[in-house]
Amino acid sequence: MKHLFYDDYSEGAHPEILQYIAEHNSDQQRGYGRDDYSELAAKRIKTAFGLPGADIHFLPNGTSCNVIGLKAMLQSYEGVIAPASGHINTHEAGALEAAGHKIIWIEASDGKLTADLIDEALSRYEDEHTVVPRVVYLTQVTELGTVYTKDEILRLIAHAKTKGLYVFLDGARLAMAIASKAADMSARDVGALGLDMFYIGGTKNGGLYGEALVIQNERFKPYFRSVIKQRNGMMAKGRFIGLQFARFFDEDDLWLTLARHANAMAERLYAGLKELGVAFDLAPGANQLFPILDNAVVEKLRENYGFYDWRKIGADRTQVRFVCSWATPESKVDAFIADVKQALKAG
Amino acid sequence: MKHLFYDDYSEGAHPEILQYIAEHNSDQQRGYGRDDYSELAAKRIKTAFGLPGADIHFLPNGTSCNVIGLKAMLQSYEGVIAPASGHINTHEAGALEAAGHKIIWIEASDGKLTADLIDEALSRYEDEHTVVPRVVYLTQVTELGTVYTKDEILRLIAHAKTKGLYVFLDGARLAMAIASKAADMSARDVGALGLDMFYIGGTKNGGLYGEALVIQNERFKPYFRSVIKQRNGMMAKGRFIGLQFARFFDEDDLWLTLARHANAMAERLYAGLKELGVAFDLAPGANQLFPILDNAVVEKLRENYGFYDWRKIGADRTQVRFVCSWATPESKVDAFIADVKQALKAG
Amino acid sequence: MKHLFYDDYSEGAHPEILQYIAEHNSDQQRGYGRDDYSELAAKRIKTAFGLPGADIHFLPNGTSCNVIGLKAMLQSYEGVIAPASGHINTHEAGALEAAGHKIIWIEASDGKLTADLIDEALSRYEDEHTVVPRVVYLTQVTELGTVYTKDEILRLIAHAKTKGLYVFLDGARLAMAIASKAADMSARDVGALGLDMFYIGGTKNGGLYGEALVIQNERFKPYFRSVIKQRNGMMAKGRFIGLQFARFFDEDDLWLTLARHANAMAERLYAGLKELGVAFDLAPGANQLFPILDNAVVEKLRENYGFYDWRKIGADRTQVRFVCSWATPESKVDAFIADVKQALKAG
Amino acid sequence: MKHLFYDDYSEGAHPEILQYIAEHNSDQQRGYGRDDYSELAAKRIKTAFGLPGADIHFLPNGTSCNVIGLKAMLQSYEGVIAPASGHINTHEAGALEAAGHKIIWIEASDGKLTADLIDEALSRYEDEHTVVPRVVYLTQVTELGTVYTKDEILRLIAHAKTKGLYVFLDGARLAMAIASKAADMSARDVGALGLDMFYIGGTKNGGLYGEALVIQNERFKPYFRSVIKQRNGMMAKGRFIGLQFARFFDEDDLWLTLARHANAMAERLYAGLKELGVAFDLAPGANQLFPILDNAVVEKLRENYGFYDWRKIGADRTQVRFVCSWATPESKVDAFIADVKQALKAG
């Protein structure tokens, strides 16, 4: 059986999550997220991020968070500024455009926006003939495996606000960012950034499914459940996402434990590959690595491992993606490094 | 603690479902529904319905099935014929309209369309100024608790086809319909109806979340996954819905066992209430009852039970909805009947 | 050559309109409605309706006014209350739904909403599962040829406001309503109704194309030009609609002169048909008549006249629509009455 | 009074167009483009382009053509490949995204796509997570004033077809392209390109409003009028656009005469400016020039002329846009060149 480094959702769910669900399965609860467990989870998240006044909604997946959250933030004639590599721009099948909104995308080689890039996007606006930019979309951890430092993201948000823009943060891997040494941000730091809306990924961090969307800006709170329902994000048995997040954010901070493991395994793999002389164009900030390898090496590795090609580099080399997760065993990392070593030698 | 007859999603999940998930949690699987368990579940569903050539997709909830399925069936200028009481028309927050399509709704006092009602809807079409009707939307069990008999639905579908219409069946409670004596239809009968698309509800029948969408018409198979992704219905860990349906459709036909129990409890409750002289305007076909009670009785019952008001009837009476599920204990039904008896006496 | 009573757009444009365009054709003007003539027309409209603070926009056709105006008034999860016979519900090919919004339609046999009908529509709203009703859509003259009296419409608007609803008035034939004895409302009366938005039709009243949209509510003024552009309603040479309305609203009130003629011809035709014993279910308020005739009579008349069938009444009779316009000659009306008399005798 | 070189819609309409309208104004015609004049215009266009089997529709403006045409060509999950400078991408306020579709834009410094650029766009497609590219959008004349040569566009279309793509050509200035020496293409050449859909601009070429959309591919003909109506592009008095195009395409080929004049004036201006040493980054192909001038010169010229700034070039220079039209007098061109000379001397 090949070991898979495709992504952080090849795994099942963390056993503690399953157990918690099983333990709280036999009572009756109100539907559609009005249950006791969703309430408990929301309370715990608010405490963890230091956001007692936030509204928390549990949605089935990341695209739902992005589309529903952004839809609620945008008037019909407004658009979103995003890095070209942003998930909404590349891998959501045009979901935001299908909801009626243009993505004003900007090339950013490390997947991170800056004040200057925002200004570049804003300079495209003229008048009623051009889309009105209204929201900045960030991801933390980015799709390229990098992270914003606290300082970077604070400056970015401050700049956006002076320009009348709102900020939405896609946190599909927010746990890994908070567990990241490079980012150096606690959950409380994230809560204090002044974001208008963000979400905390559960699926990629040991959950079965489901993410927690956090609304900080009062403006976007009313009728948000209408948007959820209309965009098919409302779960009748809302309790089951609530239970997962209640467990993630229980006293032992399971969500961070799992994210730290994912990052540690990626760091171990990175160190091992660096030692072998493997090339990287960006330093990884969390649990994703994008090494550049000779095609022959890639093909050799593919015999025993699962991973995605990211892009061709010239005729002979390929940048690939290796992702570690809460479930990646240290032994597999070590075995993989050894196999890369063999492949390099043979290549 | 009040007992809740609100609906069939106040409960958790059936323990066998949870156990099956726990047993198949530790391996790695491909994401986005390309896993072995989704494949197994699809195979079992195809066998159960006698549809070896169908495409099966697993979506997180019923509104996703309706919106994604209908979106894939409709050109931008086309609309859907539905009974006024249809779920897409009443309780999906305008999801289909948000996806761009008009619902051409027709009053149907028992929640069921007929050939005549379809003709009435078709008569509204004139030319390019009016919406082109293209799909007929049915629910089985209907939102009013009634069921189509096999003969009724066959005639309806035949009529629709002669008019160039496609047929989509919302089967949020399809298991209960197949378990219904009134409907008298097996899963194979459903598969042989000639539907273009339908879905089989899991959430209301003991699942955690998730429904199985079945595409019969070849025309709607290509690029369907693009529509799922674009309409935020694609689950990264698709295995977990797959596992639920693999268990539902295992050799012991758990899905039917659970639906039969829900129906039996509703039947028991119906018989008990009828004996007490409670009024009904429609005979229930499955697990939902809509009795008409004096307001005083309703208020008395509400002290110890959870249920929804359906509609006011004049100043003094209310039609309410009682729903039984796979988890409703017979003892609760009997206790409830006794309490209704008391309330009627006091009223 | 058949004379056509199909509608009020079978004719060309009033010669004075063409002449005014020709006279002001040779100068250079700013594009997109920023020209001097649009400004002049807006000023004249504001004076005529007593609305110095209103925003005026010139759009190419009525559906543009309805879709663009309502889109600007609605959040993504909101819908519009309309009579079943409302133009947006019947003859705009689902344009409002294509823009994402449900029409909550209510049967109204005379095409007019009332406070009770609005309450009926509001009673369908429950919570986030149902569409949030936000705007009331009225037409004056209605699609059934009736008119609201000043008192009727004032009560309706007052009621809507107490319910937190906005009011949009489709005035494709507003000139005919203001010229109508039955409505008894001046342009100033319309301006004082407290509408949030309305439009004044030009096409059906002797223009080439184009309507004037009037925004009274401050809330809907910002970024309205963005909505116009995004919904393809912005005309590069805006001057040409501006010129038409500048002429309509010049000192001689051409718009009312034309509408009065249309109404007078319809009144003459109505009186003539009544004298012949022709049946009507509704008294016409302006320039449209909906007589009920035996099928044989209808077919006989169709040999020499153009008009639309409206609906079949049983097997033997048809309700038809006759429309008079600014261009209908009195002699044609008289000749038509004579021909109806012949046809009735023969029938 | 300043002379305006803003664009080709600052002018009124050509007097012959107005006269033709006035001459054919007094008869009755069927509404919504079913009139004799629209039929005549369609016939003449089909002859001019050698496309006897094409469907012709008359729409009020260019954005309507782009949105309605592309909407009809796209399934809900499909997107459009366009150069970054394409009108749909830059100056339609997100109209195509509001209709649900992503624009997959590609940088093209001269505004023209090539086979390689199409391949670059196609390389972004992976699977159901990425938007399915289906249509290539071209403009001829481009937004940067350049033109495709016959050979360039033929190679491009051939390449697109081998990739399963359809081709839509935005011909807001198609007349100027056909009148362009650089393009060297007749109307018959355009008809023979194998386009799936294109439109011929009238507004910018001396019309009042309105463009002619030509559908060549059978696949997009059915129900096209439904799309027009639903996207508010249907004009009740369709005759008036029909009349304009009937006159444009009358025996004297007025449309080409006007375009040739616009091009000749631009050529004269270009030659004059070149002689003065003014810098250009692209050679103009038709009636738009984009000279690069010192800011001081720009400000000086703005005192007596109207024109748009296109983009800042460093701190000291600006690229501006000068547009000539059918109505630009030779004397104004010469006077303008003289004024530029003065300004350069003073600068």
Side-chain angles (χ1 to χ4, degrees), chain C residues 7-76:
Chain C
D7 47 54
D8 24 24
Y9 41 87
S10 298
E11 322 292 338
H14 191 273
E16 296 264 3
I17 296 289
L18 286 180
Q19 190 185 326
Y20 197 72
I21 286 175
E23 283 167 7
H24 299 90
N25 180 56
S26 60
D27 55 344
Q28 287 189 310
Q29 292 287 333
R30 292 296 298 271
Y32 299 113
R34 301 293 200 194
D35 61 278
D36 299 339
Y37 303 113
S38 295
E39 198 182 317
L40 175 64
K43 197 178 139 201
R44 288 177 176 175
I45 289 170
K46 288 191 269 192
T47 301
F49 285 83
L51 294 169
D55 274 8
I56 316 285
H57 300 275
F58 297 103
L59 302 183
N61 54 40
T63 300
S64 291
C65 290
N66 286 335
V67 170
I68 291 168
L70 291 168
K71 184 73 198 172
M73 295 175 80
L74 294 165
Q75 293 298 306
S76 62

Side-chain angles (χ1 to χ4, degrees), chain D residues 180-203:
Chain D
S180 161
K181 292 167 196 163
D184 190 28
M185 300 176 71
S186 67
R188 294 232 155 208
D189 288 336
V190 172
L193 286 174
L195 295 165
D196 295 288
M197 206 184 284
F198 67 98
Y199 82 87
I200 309 158
T203 305

Side-chain angles (χ1 to χ4, degrees), chain A residues 76-77 87-107 124 126-131 310, chain D residues 76-77 87-107 124 126-131 310:
Chain A
S76 62
Y77 49 86
H87 201 259
I88 56 167
N89 193 42
T90 59
H91 285 95
E92 298 191 354
L96 196 64
E97 291 90 350
H101 301 282
K102 191 178 192 76
I103 300 169
I104 303 157
W105 84 67
I106 296 286
E107 290 297 336
R124 296 183 195 164
E126 297 168 12
D127 57 19
E128 66 268 4
H129 294 266
T130 46
V131 170
W310 194 252
Chain D
S76 62
Y77 49 86
H87 201 258
I88 56 167
N89 193 44
T90 59
H91 284 95
E92 298 191 354
L96 195 65
E97 291 89 350
H101 301 281
K102 190 178 193 77
I103 300 169
I104 304 158
W105 85 66
I106 296 286
E107 291 297 337
R124 295 183 195 162
E126 297 167 12
D127 57 17
E128 65 269 3
H129 294 265
T130 46
V131 171
W310 194 252

Side-chain angles (χ1 to χ4, degrees), chain A residues 102-120:
Chain A
K102 191 178 192 76
I103 300 169
I104 303 157
W105 84 67
I106 296 286
E107 290 297 336
S109 59
D110 60 355
K112 297 194 279 182
L113 287 179
T114 63
D116 283 351
L117 291 175
I118 286 178
D119 286 345
E120 185 191 323

Side-chain angles (χ1 to χ4, degrees), chain A residues 269-291:
Chain A
L269 181 53
Y270 180 62
L273 297 179
K274 287 292 276 188
E275 206 178 296
L276 297 174
V278 169
F280 287 82
D281 57 355
L282 294 167
N287 66 320
Q288 301 171 87
L289 309 184
F290 295 80

Side-chain angles (χ1 to χ4, degrees), chain D residues 19 24 28 63 71 112 118 129 143 179 237 296 319 326:
Chain D
Q19 190 184 326
H24 300 89
Q28 288 189 310
T63 301
K71 184 74 197 171
K112 297 193 279 182
I118 286 178
H129 294 265
E143 297 77 3
K237 291 180 175 171
Q319 187 166 31
W326 63 275

